[in-house]
Amino acid sequence: MATFLYKLGRLAFRRRHFVALIWVALLTLAGVGAASAPAPGTTSFSIPGTEAQKAFDLLEQRFPGASADGATARVVFKAPAGQKMTDAGTKATVEKTVKELSTGSEVVSVADPYTGHAVSKDGTIAYASVKYKVSGMELEDSSRDALKETAQHARDAGLTVEIGGDALSATPETGSTEVIGIAIAAVVLVITFGSLLAAGLPLLTAIIGVGIGVSSITALASTLDLGSTTSTLATMIGLAVGIDYALFIVSRYRAELAEGREREEAAGRAVGTAGSAVVFAGLTVVIALVGLSVVNIPMLTKMGIAAAGTVAIAVLIALTMIPALLGYAGRKVKPAGQKSKLLGGGRAARKTGRPNMGTRWASFVVRRPVAVLLLGIVGLGAAAVPAASLELGLPDDGSQPVSTTQRRAYDLLSEGFGPGFNGPLMVVVDAKGASAPGAAFDKVGAEIKGLKDVVTVTPAQPNKAGDTATITVIPNSKPSSTQTEDVVHAIRGKGAGIESDTGAKVLVTGSTAMNIDVSQKLNDALVPYLVLVVGLAFLLLIVVFRSILVPLKAALGFLLSVLAALGAVVAVFQWGWLSGLMGVEETGPVMSMMPIFMVGVVFGLAMDYEVFLVTRMREAYVHGEKPSQAVVTGFKYGARVVTAAAVIMIAVFSGFIGSSESMVKMIGFGLAIAVFFDAFVVRMAIVPAVLALLGKRAWWLPKWLDRALPNVDVEGEGLRALDGRRDPDEDKELVRA
């Protein structure tokens, strides 16, 4: 592989006009396709195989036109101090508001508080329920604006009015910290390369790669039913790995120039060595992202596959466009150790004989591997302790900041009707196979009333055919509590006995039940996903490093860093440590998607650092250095670049901490702290300590396996045969191949 990529790098450098034209044409084609394609819609959120989803599907069949999965809004009213909602003036204002709410084009129905018994016992709080034809993510902005405007009219009349429900769900704001994160990434690149031009190449190619990927997703969105949220993960991951991959190849190119090689030869060597690492690092990320399909949540599967495609584009751009752009840059990209004139350089750095920081650190670790190893493991272990208290759930309005109208509506409903009122359960009774449907409906209601922590059970509401009915159940506790989850399980537990007695099936659905089912589905998928992703990557790394222990160490180190990161997330978002500093206004359960999302994204990035750092060590070892010296050599050439890549990644992810949405804030913090732990504790401390202790055993591979594995030559051993000779026909041979 190294020889092939070497030839590819030289060809791209020499035929740079042709290569640049191809990528510009692809970007233009993708852009035109995106501009001419229909606007992407937002696909409905479905969770195949869950009881809540089965109930929604049944409601669509038996209650046609009812929009069972449509958006809902609760407009909550509170009377002025000393007054009640039943006062004549207040009642007139509410009735006028209800009339206004019903005029929307996407509105299915509006429940009047006075006819629907939606006034609190003390008469101070009431609410109107608004039902829409489409889901909250598909709702048009005009409908949201009309809802807010109508509520404001009631406020102007003297009432306190807040709006809850998923009708106001919209794309969260990330704030200015995301821009700051990208600016920090640019500064780190300039410091790393000492050149504005060299620093600009990774940013330029990453933007082009993401542009092609996201434009392609947009162009195909309508055809493949991708939805408007599919490109979110592709943008984040594509930008991150695009910068990383280009960073490593440009860095290796400058190192080759410093060795005295001509620029075309240096480009070929950079792609042949660092490019090999890029290919296998990209494969690990692709495996992690495509593996999200194991969860069997369509939206997550599409996001993973789209992001994997963008990563593949980033790899191809790094292997071809980077050497082409280096050809255009010419002497403006300086060898390692030189700075551009703009930054005050232009002459070779003075040779002081002092080793760089990476060399000094690796030498220290090699001398004291046991102490460093113990300190790293104990530190990460301590950070992982809070993970033992991990509570998973999905966010609701109760997790919103107190400054939002959704949170204030949530609090008003809890005050007037009890905490469980914010998470009503919808019980669907399928009595099509029952001999007496009406009796079955009554029996279900009676059974549920006798359960613990159930406050209210409404009478059954049958459909026109009389074979299906819905029953609303109000639990005694808030939606995200374990008590409410127990109520859901208790109702489902009664289902088997009811079906045997009456022939009717009982299904529990609603947003609260759906959240519980999603959390359970994600929990069940975590172990199979972990086994699949880590297992495939383990096999891939055996091929790359031709070792058993090095891939094993890489996987175990990753698990340790993920556990530590989950512990940090629990400490901040569940326990409330440093919550003020992070802008966390409300603590609660950790988002149920967080563990599997963190495993997928962080595993891919962690293996990037592992491949880039350890391939340098492997290269030095294969070229004859002792194991301990190979560790130092790997850090000498790789530590600075890996550090820069990690800092860039942390800066980009930290930008999401400024989001107004707690879920996005949690993802940003979790990914940033996970990259910090993995890059600076695992890869920079634990990895060299373990390799120093293992010595030659680190690179041991059974002879039978060595013979069976393909020789991918990621360390570039085959390039040694090219030293001292040039073959002008190599490029022609590559083109013919």
Side-chain angles (χ1 to χ4, degrees):
M1 174 176 284
T3 304
F4 172 79
L5 292 178
Y6 163 80
K7 294 176 182 179
L8 179 63
R10 287 187 60 189
L11 177 65
F13 186 95
R14 184 178 299 173
R15 306 292 173 84
R16 47 188 171 273
H17 303 306
F18 179 69
V19 172
L21 182 62
I22 289 176
W23 284 111
V24 171
L26 288 175
L27 179 61
T28 304
L29 185 64
V32 171
S36 59
T42 305
T43 54
S44 58
F45 186 76
S46 63
I47 312 295
T50 61
E51 181 173 316
Q53 186 63 49
K54 291 176 183 177
F56 273 131
D57 296 340
L58 182 65
L59 287 173
E60 289 290 342
Q61 296 173 12
R62 306 287 175 83
F63 291 83
S67 301
D69 58 349
T72 58
R74 278 179 169 176
V75 182
V76 186
F77 306 92
K78 184 174 183 180
Q83 299 182 27
K84 293 186 179 295
M85 296 303 303
T86 51
D87 293 346
T90 302
K91 186 175 182 179
T93 301
V94 171
E95 289 176 340
K96 181 181 178 182
T97 303
V98 169
K99 187 176 181 181
E100 276 189 62
L101 289 171
S102 62
T103 59
S105 60
E106 294 184 305
V107 174
V108 174
S109 62
V110 181
D112 186 290
Y114 302 101
T115 59
H117 307 289
V119 180
S120 63
K121 291 182 179 179
D122 62 4
T124 59
I125 297 173
Y127 70 91
S129 296
V130 186
K131 184 73 175 177
Y132 292 90
K133 298 177 182 177
V134 295
S135 67
M137 293 186 291
E138 296 173 305
L139 201 63
E140 292 183 2
D141 290 338
S142 59
S143 295
R144 292 193 184 95
D145 293 339
L147 178 63
K148 295 175 184 177
E149 186 177 345
T150 301
Q152 187 58 47
H153 292 163
R155 291 191 189 103
D156 294 340
L159 298 180
T160 298
V161 185
E162 305 296 346
I163 306 171
D166 60 350
L168 292 185
S169 61
T171 304
E173 299 176 359
T174 55
S176 60
T177 52
E178 186 179 3
V179 179
I180 295 173
I182 296 175
I184 292 173
V187 171
V188 171
L189 285 170
V190 172
I191 294 173
T192 301
F193 290 132
S195 165
L196 291 176
L197 181 61
L201 293 181
L203 287 174
L204 175 62
T205 54
I207 291 171
I208 291 174
V210 170
I212 293 173
V214 173
S215 296
S216 300
I217 292 169
T218 304
L220 297 172
S222 178
T223 304
L224 301 180
D225 191 28
L226 297 180
S228 59
T229 60
T230 307
S231 61
T232 303
L233 185 60
T235 302
M236 181 173 65
I237 301 301
L239 188 63
V241 300
I243 293 174
D244 270 10
Y245 297 161
L247 169 66
F248 280 99
I249 290 180
V250 173
S251 177
R252 186 60 184 256
Y253 171 75
R254 297 179 71 236
E256 295 293 337
L257 289 179
E259 294 290 331
R261 291 190 170 89
E262 295 295 328
R263 294 187 177 274
E264 182 180 330
E265 179 71 10
R269 297 280 178 147
V271 176
T273 51
S276 297
V278 164
V279 169
F280 285 100
L283 279 175
T284 60
V285 180
V286 168
I287 288 172
L289 292 171
V290 173
L292 289 171
S293 58
V294 172
V295 184
N296 195 27
I297 295 179
M299 185 183 72
L300 199 58
T301 299
K302 292 175 183 178
M303 290 178 69
I305 293 175
T310 306
V311 170
I313 293 172
V315 171
L316 293 174
I317 283 183
L319 297 178
T320 56
M321 194 170 185
I322 282 293
L325 292 178
L326 290 172
Y328 282 118
R331 296 184 179 278
K332 293 179 181 179
V333 175
K334 304 297 182 182
Q338 290 188 19
K339 296 181 180 180
S340 67
K341 293 181 180 180
L342 185 61
L343 295 179
R347 294 179 298 176
R350 295 180 181 178
K351 295 183 179 180
T352 61
R354 186 184 181 190
N356 62 20
M357 186 175 294
T359 303
R360 296 197 301 272
W361 169 249
S363 299
F364 170 79
V365 175
V366 167
R367 290 195 304 269
R368 298 175 177 81
V370 176
V372 172
L373 180 61
L374 289 177
L375 185 61
I377 292 176
V378 169
L380 291 179
V385 168
S389 303
L390 178 66
E391 295 179 8
L392 297 176
L394 287 176
D396 55 24
D397 287 348
S399 62
Q400 296 273 7
V402 293
S403 58
T404 63
T405 186
Q406 295 97 319
R407 174 58 189 278
R408 291 195 292 264
Y410 180 97
D411 292 339
L412 282 176
L413 288 172
S414 295
E415 177 187 340
F417 303 92
F421 202 79
N422 285 289
L425 306 175
M426 181 183 290
V427 177
V428 181
V429 185
D430 179 7
K432 199 167 187 178
S435 56
F441 300 153
D442 293 339
K443 181 175 179 58
V444 172
E447 290 281 353
I448 295 175
K449 283 182 181 178
L451 294 176
K452 181 182 178 183
D453 289 327
V454 171
V455 175
T456 304
V457 178
T458 64
Q461 301 292 322
N463 62 350
K464 290 182 179 179
D467 59 4
T468 308
T470 60
I471 299 173
T472 300
V473 179
I474 306 297
N476 190 40
S477 49
K478 62 181 183 179
S480 59
S481 67
T482 56
Q483 291 90 338
T484 298
E485 185 174 347
D486 292 339
V487 171
V488 172
H489 293 319
I491 296 173
R492 289 173 174 171
K494 292 283 186 181
I498 292 173
E499 184 174 4
S500 63
D501 293 342
T502 66
K505 296 179 181 179
V506 178
L507 302 172
V508 184
T509 189
S511 60
T512 301
M514 180 66 84
N515 287 351
I516 292 171
D517 286 353
V518 171
S519 298
Q520 187 61 49
K521 192 176 184 68
L522 289 166
N523 290 344
D524 294 342
L526 181 58
V527 172
Y529 175 69
L530 196 60
V531 170
L532 174 69
V533 171
V534 176
L536 289 177
F538 179 78
L539 296 176
L540 183 65
L541 292 179
I542 289 177
V543 175
V544 174
F545 296 127
R546 307 195 76 79
S547 165
I548 297 292
L549 296 178
V550 170
L552 180 62
K553 172 262 311 167
L556 293 177
F558 155 74
L559 293 175
L560 191 58
S561 62
V562 166
L563 286 174
L566 281 176
V569 169
V570 170
V572 173
F573 292 89
Q574 190 175 307
W575 291 0
W577 294 5
L578 302 177
S579 57
L581 181 63
M582 296 295 169
V584 179
E585 296 187 21
E586 186 71 22
T587 59
V590 173
M591 184 184 63
S592 54
M593 198 177 292
M594 193 70 189
I596 202 163
F597 186 80
M598 186 178 289
V599 166
V601 176
V602 177
F603 180 77
L605 300 178
M607 293 305 104
D608 278 0
Y609 304 137
E610 177 76 14
V611 170
F612 288 130
L613 194 60
V614 180
T615 47
R616 265 294 198 171
M617 301 177 191
R618 169 75 182 172
E619 182 180 341
Y621 176 75
V622 168
H623 291 167
E625 292 188 7
K626 294 181 179 179
S628 59
Q629 183 57 40
V631 172
V632 176
T633 301
F635 269 78
K636 176 182 178 181
Y637 294 106
R640 179 182 177 89
V641 183
V642 169
T643 299
V647 171
I648 289 169
M649 205 72 65
I650 292 169
V652 172
F653 289 148
S654 295
F656 292 90
I657 298 176
S659 172
S660 60
E661 182 70 36
S662 61
M663 181 174 67
V664 177
K665 186 189 295 288
M666 187 182 298
I667 290 174
F669 173 80
L671 294 180
I673 198 69
V675 169
F676 173 80
F677 285 149
D678 197 89
F680 294 108
V681 181
V682 175
R683 309 303 153 191
M684 291 290 181
I686 293 178
V687 165
V690 171
L691 291 178
L693 289 172
L694 291 175
K696 291 184 178 180
R697 289 168 295 182
W699 309 108
W700 171 81
L701 188 68
K703 291 183 179 180
W704 64 268
L705 185 57
D706 188 34
R707 290 191 298 268
L709 291 177
N711 184 13
V712 296
D713 190 22
V714 71
E715 66 275 356
E717 176 66 16
L719 298 182
R720 286 206 158 193
L722 301 174
D723 285 337
R725 74 175 177 88
R726 296 287 183 86
D727 186 353
D729 295 328
E730 285 176 347
D731 297 329
K732 296 178 183 178
E733 293 174 3
L734 182 61
V735 172
R736 285 198 298 269

